[in-house]
Amino acid sequence: MFTAFKSLFSNPHREEIKAEQEKIIQAQKTLSEEKQKLEQKTTQETYQLNLEKNKLGVALSGIADAVIGVDMQKNITIFNRAAELLTGFSQSEVSGKPIDSVIKIYDKNNELTFLHYCPINTKAAEGVVYNKEGLKIVGRNTSFVNLVSSKIPEGQNANLGCILSMHDITGSTQLESMKMDFISMAAHELRTPITSIKGYLSVYMQENKPNLNPGQLSLLQSIEQAVTQLTTLVENLLSAAKIDRGILNVSFENLDWQKFVSESVSNFQTRAKEKELTLEFMPSKNPVPQVKADKTRISEVLSNLVSNAINYTEPGGNIKVWVQTSGSSIVTKIADTGRGIPPEAISQLFNKFFRVTNAMEGGTKGTGLGLYIAKSIIEMHHGKIWVESAGLGKGSTFSFSLPL
């Protein structure tokens, strides 16, 4: 029995078991050390993350523009102090909520969907994906903003759909609205006496023309021309006010475009000859399809562009008008050999009340509304308008496109 007991304690596997136990203890020790290192690293990274988050929060709170970040599910994740002031909501109220349940965004009278201003599922990987001025934002407050929406390449991995930056222009928009209200009221009040003057003058000239000497007739014709210019000014002011309010309507009909443009140009032949200019419509050799447009409004655009070409082209110059198809659009061009446009003015040429000064004026007066109205009418037709010029003294070409 003693021998058996001794044999038990001298089991050759005892050393192996002890070695395994030591390995396990060492492994546990190593695992504990790695766990401790991982916890330290996690704590450090969490600290750095909170530090960066606090930096971002401080930076966003100091930005004058409203900044709103949304995730891939269109829920709000970033909402700075300026966004609170702009919308009337606090960050705690909107955090985690869908952005389109918090604010509504309108382009004039059309409500924009979330995918309009934040297309999170498009292939656009980074940079600006939407940029629009003069939008209306409706939350608890109603404001007007210039909106820029951007995406980052890592957005999907970081669950960041897009970042909206909104520059508040409510004050300037309200001031502009007050200005246009006054202009509209004044124009309405001026329309009646101007119409009366024009009517009385027309009747007087018809009844007394045989009895007038050349000097008297010339004086009355000058008065008639001044009244016509004043009438145009009043109508332009009223049209601009309607455009700003979004109440300038268009009524579409099918037009034989080449014939329509040709007739519009013919109406200016007498005026062009009086200024010793060559005004030519060059018909297309290829068939020109019909265009669906508002005849009255588009006539205003053509008249404005041809009239400008005559005004800003010196005697002896020439003006050419032609149409051409380009893809799914038809393009109308008015080219002149006039004074041209300085490069720095081209980007502002279609802005309201903008006029090129100095070299281009040459005694010709205007309000700076004609091209603004023309641009607005073309955009109502879902077209585009632009100008090309090599510079002062080198002529210019105005073009506009309409969809077929």
Side-chain angles (χ1 to χ4, degrees):
M1 181 176 178
F2 177 76
T3 304
F5 185 75
K6 183 179 179 181
S7 172
L8 178 62
F9 278 90
S10 61
N11 189 329
H13 295 290
R14 182 166 173 263
E15 296 297 328
E16 294 179 5
I17 293 172
K18 184 178 180 181
E20 290 296 326
Q21 289 175 338
E22 290 178 353
K23 287 181 180 180
I24 292 172
I25 292 171
Q26 184 62 36
Q28 289 176 339
K29 183 180 179 181
T30 303
L31 185 61
S32 179
E33 291 174 351
E34 291 297 327
K35 180 182 177 183
Q36 188 176 5
K37 289 180 181 179
L38 183 60
E39 287 176 347
Q40 291 176 348
K41 184 178 180 181
T42 302
T43 302
Q44 181 66 23
E45 289 180 349
T46 302
Y47 173 77
Q48 291 294 335
L49 185 61
N50 288 333
L51 183 63
E52 293 300 323
K53 184 178 180 181
N54 290 335
K55 286 181 182 179
L56 177 62
V58 171
L60 290 176
S61 66
I63 295 176
D65 288 349
V67 178
I68 302 176
V70 297
D71 61 21
M72 300 300 291
Q73 290 73 44
K74 71 177 182 179
N75 298 320
I76 295 174
T77 58
I78 300 171
F79 204 77
N80 72 342
R81 175 61 178 161
E84 293 180 331
L85 296 173
L86 183 73
T87 63
F89 292 105
S90 66
Q91 182 181 9
S92 59
E93 288 180 287
V94 302
S95 184
K97 292 183 179 179
I99 187 171
D100 51 6
S101 70
V102 175
I103 61 173
K104 302 294 183 184
I105 302 180
Y106 296 87
D107 184 3
K108 294 190 170 120
N109 294 324
N110 301 318
E111 182 178 354
L112 301 180
T113 67
F114 170 75
L115 294 178
H116 269 108
Y117 57 85
C118 188
I120 56 177
N121 295 319
T122 62
K123 294 182 179 179
E126 59 182 308
V128 176
V129 292
Y130 185 82
N131 188 352
K132 187 75 174 181
E133 296 182 352
L135 299 179
K136 183 168 73 172
I137 306 295
V138 179
R140 279 205 181 112
N141 303 330
T142 298
S143 306
F144 293 88
V145 301
N146 295 335
L147 171 64
V148 178
S149 179
S150 306
K151 295 173 67 174
I152 61 173
E154 303 83 2
Q156 192 162 4
N157 296 331
N159 193 27
L160 181 62
C162 62
I163 298 175
L164 309 178
S165 176
M166 303 179 184
H167 180 64
D168 189 0
I169 58 168
T170 305
S172 60
T173 302
Q174 290 175 341
L175 183 62
E176 184 71 16
S177 178
M178 291 171 62
K179 182 171 71 175
M180 292 310 298
D181 285 344
F182 172 76
I183 289 173
S184 178
M185 180 185 67
H188 272 292
E189 293 300 320
L190 286 170
R191 179 188 259 176
T192 301
I194 290 173
T195 303
S196 298
I197 293 170
K198 191 174 183 178
Y200 294 148
L201 183 62
S202 177
V203 171
Y204 181 83
M205 290 183 67
Q206 287 178 1
E207 292 180 351
N208 296 278
K209 191 173 182 179
N211 303 322
L212 298 173
N213 61 47
Q216 293 171 329
L217 184 60
S218 176
L219 181 61
L220 289 173
Q221 287 174 340
S222 296
I223 295 173
E224 185 179 38
Q225 185 179 3
V227 172
T228 300
Q229 291 174 346
L230 195 55
T231 302
T232 301
L233 169 60
V234 168
E235 294 303 322
N236 283 345
L237 289 171
L238 291 172
S239 294
K242 289 180 180 179
I243 290 169
D244 282 0
R245 292 191 178 93
I247 59 174
L248 186 70
N249 298 319
V250 290
S251 178
F252 295 96
E253 61 180 287
N254 288 323
L255 298 177
D256 183 338
W257 188 245
Q258 183 153 260
K259 180 182 178 182
F260 178 74
V261 175
S262 177
E263 290 175 351
S264 297
V265 172
S266 297
N267 294 334
F268 286 88
Q269 288 293 352
T270 301
R271 186 172 159 192
K273 289 178 181 177
E274 288 175 353
K275 201 177 175 182
E276 300 177 4
L277 300 174
T278 301
L279 175 60
E280 178 184 6
F281 173 72
M282 301 184 296
S284 174
K285 295 180 181 179
N286 301 317
V288 176
Q290 287 191 333
V291 173
K292 191 175 287 291
D294 185 307
K295 186 174 182 179
T296 301
R297 299 299 181 195
I298 286 294
S299 180
E300 287 181 44
V301 175
L302 276 168
S303 297
N304 182 278
L305 296 179
V306 176
S307 178
N308 281 351
I310 293 173
N311 289 338
Y312 294 108
T313 302
E314 301 298 333
N318 62 78
I319 301 165
K320 295 182 179 180
V321 183
W322 70 96
V323 299
Q324 62 188 49
T325 54
S326 176
S328 59
S329 301
I330 187 162
V331 179
T332 305
K333 292 180 174 289
I334 299 94
D336 62 62
T337 58
R339 300 169 196 166
I341 302 166
E344 65 273 12
I346 287 179
S347 62
Q348 303 179 64
L349 201 60
F350 295 96
N351 292 345
K352 185 166 48 181
F353 297 120
F354 177 78
R355 295 189 66 236
V356 181
T357 56
N358 300 327
M360 191 177 168
E361 281 188 0
T364 302
K365 303 300 179 183
T367 61
L369 285 174
L371 291 179
Y372 167 74
I373 294 171
K375 179 176 181 287
S376 300
I377 291 172
I378 293 299
E379 288 178 345
M380 289 177 187
H381 286 75
H382 308 291
K384 295 180 180 179
I385 186 169
W386 65 96
V387 61
E388 298 165 291
S389 179
L392 289 174
K394 298 182 179 179
S396 57
T397 301
F398 283 83
S399 309
F400 66 90
S401 65
L402 297 172
L404 293 174

